[in-house]
């Protein structure tokens, strides 16, 4: 009986954490964030969004406000340089910018803020299913890899 109670407690904790993440994701999708422009050109030869690669996944770097961007710049030792950025709705980053990258891609919010930052990985339920790394691959798609 104790094992069943323990499993029930773990299951309810998982449900609570999933609800909390869904709340955070919904808030991010509805919020305009700052996205610095990187040095490399993006589509149409404009400067692309600032990204960082980690373990084969590209992440768009986004910041909740200018102070969060300043903390990132300070952490990189680049506080004195001018940072050009665009203000983009979180939903547009996840639904449009991520698929446009052409590689597995997610979004990191406030990456210089340690545990106060947030990672939105390229998985189903966060990014569009066709670009999620955990999607089902059809036989036709698998043959092209």
């Amino acid at each position: 009986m104790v094992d069943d109670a323990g499993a029930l407690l773990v299951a309810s904790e998982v449900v609570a954490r999933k609800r909390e993440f869904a709340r955070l994701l919904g808030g991010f999708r509805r919020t305009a964030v700052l996205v610095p422009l990187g040095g490399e050109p993006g589509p149409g030869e404009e400067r692309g969004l600032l990204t960082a690669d980690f373990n084969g996944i590209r992440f768009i770097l986004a910041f909740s406000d200018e102070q969060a961007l300043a903390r990132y710049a300070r952490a990189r030792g680049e506080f004195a340089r001018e940072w050009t950025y665009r203000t983009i709705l979180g939903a547009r980053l996840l639904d449009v910018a991520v698929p446009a990258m052409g590689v597995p891609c997610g979004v990191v919010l406030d990456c210089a803020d340690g545990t106060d930052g947030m990672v939105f990985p390229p998985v189903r339920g966060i990014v569009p299913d066709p670009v999620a790394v955990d999607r089902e691959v059809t036989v036709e798609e698998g043959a092209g890899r």
Side-chain angles (χ1 to χ4, degrees), residues 1-144:
M1 197 67 140
V2 173
D3 288 336
D4 292 339
L8 185 58
L9 182 60
V10 169
S12 66
E13 185 175 329
V14 168
V15 168
R17 287 184 182 197
K18 284 183 177 183
R19 281 189 186 140
E20 175 62 12
F21 183 79
R23 187 187 66 74
L24 291 170
L25 176 61
F28 176 75
R29 292 182 65 78
R30 293 185 299 275
T31 301
V33 294
L34 310 180
V35 183
L37 300 181
E40 299 297 317
E45 296 305 312
E46 313 174 337
R47 284 175 62 193
L49 304 177
L50 183 64
T51 62
D53 290 354
F54 183 73
N55 287 339
I57 307 282
R58 180 160 297 157
F59 288 93
I60 298 169
L61 305 184
F63 300 90
S64 55
D65 53 34
E66 288 182 339
Q67 292 78 21
L69 176 55
R71 288 188 296 274
Y72 173 77
R74 184 175 308 279
R76 291 190 46 94
E78 298 181 27
F79 190 73
R81 85 168 176 94
E82 182 178 327
W83 287 82
T84 304
Y85 61 82
R86 293 183 61 195
T87 303
I88 304 173
L89 193 62
R92 190 155 175 81
L93 278 178
L94 295 171
D95 298 343
V96 178
V98 163
M101 288 291 166
V103 297
C105 183
V107 176
V108 177
L109 179 67
D110 297 338
C111 61
D113 293 348
T115 58
D116 290 333
M118 192 71 200
V119 176
F120 299 101
V123 296
R124 289 180 297 165
I126 296 177
V127 301
D129 286 354
V131 297
V133 296
D134 64 338
R135 68 185 169 94
E136 301 273 334
V137 178
T138 65
V139 173
E140 293 81 25
E141 289 176 311

